Amino acid sequence: MKNGERQRIARVASYSNPIERRMSKFLREPPSIRTAASVIVTATALAVIGGGVLIRVLDHSEYPTIWIGMWWALQTVTTVGYGDVTPAHASGRIVASFVMLEGIAFLAIITAAVTSTFVVRAERERSVAEGAAEIALEERLDARFDELSQRFDRLESRLGKTDT
């Protein structure tokens, strides 16, 4: 098999996997707020589901059902932490640390997304204001140039009359 054929097959195979296709697009283009939010919501949902299942498997004495594990993961990832269920074993605490970090990342990214919308709006408003100021300056300069042009025309006409 030639090198070109291998590359074509690898390219076709990589585009047949929707997750890989989406990840390559995500890495190629800067993400929009909607894309970033969908990624973090998906990651958080996976952390809740995965954390709930893992905590049930690793610390089954404290979490008799997967639903209790998911309840714990949900309240942990949202940083509420009622304290009604807590991991007792070291393995459960390791899972808890990852779920907590995901919750902190979730809040940080949501805060950043909201902040960036305010920043973009402020930049847009500043740009409009600067554009209006620039247009006003151009109009004043044009008026001044017109006035100077008229004065030069008058001077030229007077100079032309004195030469004759």
Side-chain angles (χ1 to χ4, degrees), residues 31-45:
S32 66
I33 292 175
R34 177 178 285 181
T35 304
S38 71
V39 167
I40 193 64
V41 166
T42 302
T44 303

Side-chain angles (χ1 to χ4, degrees), residues 35-137:
T35 304
S38 71
V39 167
I40 193 64
V41 166
T42 302
T44 303
L46 290 174
V48 168
I49 294 168
V53 170
L54 270 174
I55 202 77
R56 163 66 177 110
V57 169
L58 298 174
D59 202 354
H60 54 274
S61 61
E62 290 291 318
Y63 303 92
T65 68
I66 288 179
W67 302 115
I68 292 175
M70 283 197 207
W71 169 247
W72 165 83
L74 181 65
Q75 65 180 329
T76 301
V77 82
T78 58
T79 69
V80 172
Y82 291 124
D84 54 347
V85 285
T86 56
H89 299 269
S91 58
R93 291 181 179 181
I94 291 171
V95 171
S97 348
F98 286 111
V99 173
M100 286 181 225
L101 291 173
E102 174 62 32
I104 292 168
F106 174 75
L107 292 176
I109 289 175
I110 294 299
T111 303
V114 169
T115 303
S116 72
T117 59
F118 288 132
V119 168
V120 167
R121 181 178 295 156
E123 285 177 353
R124 192 177 311 133
E125 289 173 0
R126 186 176 332 123
S127 175
V128 167
E130 287 173 357
E134 191 173 305
I135 289 171
L137 176 63

